Amino acid sequence: MASAKAMAQGEQDRFVLKSGHAIPAVGLGTWRAGSDTAHSVQTAITEAGYRHVDTAAQYGIEKEVGKGLKAAMEAGIDRKDLFVTSKIWCTNLAPERVRPALENTLKDLQLDYIDLYLIHWPFRLKDGAHQPPEAGEVLEFDMEGVWKEMEKLVKDGLVKDIGVCNFTVTKLNRLLRSANIPPAVCQMEMHPGWKNDKIFEACKKHGIHVTAYSPLGSSEKNLAHDPVVEKVANKLNKTPGQVLIKWALQRGTSVIPKSSKDERIKENIQVFGWEIPEDDFQVLCSIKDEKRVLTGEELFVNKTHGPYKSASEVWDHEN
């Protein structure tokens, strides 16, 4: 495994997980990817050199992602050189629904196995739950029972690694108390406007790799237009997007930028062979933490009936 120094220099294009498997440092995110998903996935792999694709059942595009993966493999890319992540949605977070959910994902992706299967959000929702949920639509989540079933998927070779998304330190500690296979990856929103230090430090302590999503912030708070980011980008002769992706890598996280524009997809992986100097890196780190972009409020909060009456409760009051 690369030394901390090599890591800091960001020359590492992959990170080694607890299991010994390697996760490519930059992946293609596919949330809200739209109708060109198959094309974007194929382009990312065959033209831009991506080897990591991140998707989820809830995105409603796994069939399209599957077409893109298939086209890339038909163009000569080996399955074993690809790293494919998917996520189990909240309506399937009951022990008996885990395997059927994964089998559905495998069918849509046209794969025999995936490299990483994540719990998308640590809350169980009733089938057909509204946004925001009505009374009784947020159900009891048997985290331990669900995780046991995910562990069986690893034992059966359907999934190489398992992990979590959108967890709090409280929930992570609860999971670690009962897990036989600890989570290999924790995927969280992370960018200079929401560094998410608490969960980042907890993951480091337990040897859990972190993947950063929404590395550029969001449409309403797009960090690519932040004057601090623009200044560093101009100095380094890079795009603001490249600087934000590189910031994530130098922090020691993998990162999954999304774009449906071919040139942006190619640009986003041109983040090796150079580094953000330490002083500029610290300047980016000192951008004020605003707030998370994805609060989960519209998914899980019912202000009257609960069980979660605020976004703060969703995040166990940790933010």
Side-chain angles (χ1 to χ4, degrees):
M1 198 172 166
S3 68
K5 188 168 187 291
M7 236 185 216
Q9 288 169 348
E11 282 314 304
Q12 191 176 357
D13 64 355
R14 51 195 51 232
F15 293 95
V16 179
L17 306 177
K18 259 186 160 164
S19 59
H21 300 132
I23 183 170
V26 179
L28 179 73
T30 60
W31 184 50
R32 292 182 176 162
S35 56
D36 286 344
T37 302
H39 168 80
S40 297
V41 169
Q42 182 184 356
T43 301
I45 297 169
T46 59
E47 292 181 35
Y50 285 72
R51 291 296 176 264
H52 172 183
V53 176
D54 179 277
T55 191
Q58 180 60 10
Y59 301 166
I61 51 155
E62 289 194 318
K63 282 190 169 134
E64 291 302 305
V65 172
K67 284 178 195 162
L69 292 170
K70 188 169 190 255
M73 288 189 272
E74 282 170 354
I77 305 291
D78 232 335
R79 168 66 185 100
K80 67 173 179 2
D81 294 330
L82 294 174
F83 190 102
V84 181
T85 301
S86 187
K87 312 177 191 82
I88 184 168
W89 185 242
C90 304
T91 48
N92 288 321
L93 288 181
E96 69 283 359
R97 295 180 78 156
V98 171
R99 186 170 298 242
L102 174 74
E103 284 169 347
N104 216 29
T105 277
L106 289 175
K107 190 170 114 238
D108 286 349
L109 293 173
Q110 303 183 54
L111 297 175
D112 302 327
Y113 72 91
I114 56 171
D115 299 271
L116 180 62
Y117 201 35
L118 304 173
I119 292 175
H120 203 149
W121 286 88
F123 305 96
R124 187 176 163 209
L125 291 172
K126 201 172 172 173
D127 283 320
H130 297 78
Q131 289 188 16
E134 294 178 2
E137 290 186 344
V138 179
L139 307 171
E140 186 70 30
F141 171 34
D142 173 9
M143 188 193 289
E144 292 75 10
V146 163
W147 192 255
K148 255 194 186 59
E149 291 304 313
M150 289 177 71
E151 291 175 334
K152 286 179 192 167
L153 301 175
V154 176
K155 291 192 179 77
D156 293 342
L158 297 173
V159 170
K160 292 254 177 107
D161 281 291
I162 48 179
V164 298
C165 288
N166 301 310
F167 259 50
T168 57
V169 178
T170 306
K171 291 187 180 77
L172 186 65
N173 287 337
R174 175 182 158 187
L175 179 58
L176 289 170
R177 281 196 291 274
S178 69
N180 288 314
I181 301 174
V185 172
C186 177
Q187 188 182 117
M188 302 295 296
E189 176 187 337
M190 282 184 180
H191 43 76
W194 185 258
K195 287 175 275 293
N196 227 334
D197 282 320
K198 240 179 226 172
I199 190 83
F200 187 42
E201 290 308 319
C203 287
K204 263 202 254 187
K205 186 177 119 188
H206 293 290
I208 299 167
H209 175 71
V210 175
T211 297
Y213 75 72
S214 294
L216 278 52
S218 71
S219 46
E220 64 264 21
K221 173 71 180 152
N222 188 338
L223 288 165
H225 303 308
D226 186 288
V228 176
V229 177
E230 285 181 331
K231 193 177 170 193
V232 174
N234 289 335
K235 179 181 163 184
L236 298 176
N237 200 18
K238 301 294 175 191
T239 67
Q242 287 169 330
V243 164
L244 289 162
I245 292 162
K246 187 66 172 183
W247 178 84
L249 296 178
Q250 283 185 214
R251 222 176 158 216
T253 65
S254 53
V255 58
I256 45 170
K258 66 159 282 284
S259 179
S260 47
K261 297 187 176 78
D262 288 3
E263 65 278 16
R264 190 66 50 78
I265 287 172
K266 290 172 185 172
E267 211 171 76
N268 284 346
I269 201 166
Q270 303 298 312
V271 287
F272 302 101
W274 59 279
E275 65 180 287
I276 301 170
E278 185 59 26
D279 54 341
D280 293 314
F281 182 80
Q282 291 309 331
V283 164
L284 292 169
C285 289
S286 65
I287 290 177
K288 202 163 75 46
D289 260 356
E290 299 281 333
K291 57 180 196 313
R292 57 177 88 240
V293 172
L294 263 141
T295 62
E297 187 165 335
E298 70 294 349
L299 289 169
F300 309 113
V301 171
N302 182 316
K303 288 176 177 162
T304 315
H305 302 285
Y308 304 99
K309 293 185 176 177
S310 68
S312 187
E313 287 181 20
V314 165
W315 297 100
D316 296 324
H317 304 288
E318 287 180 14
N319 51 326

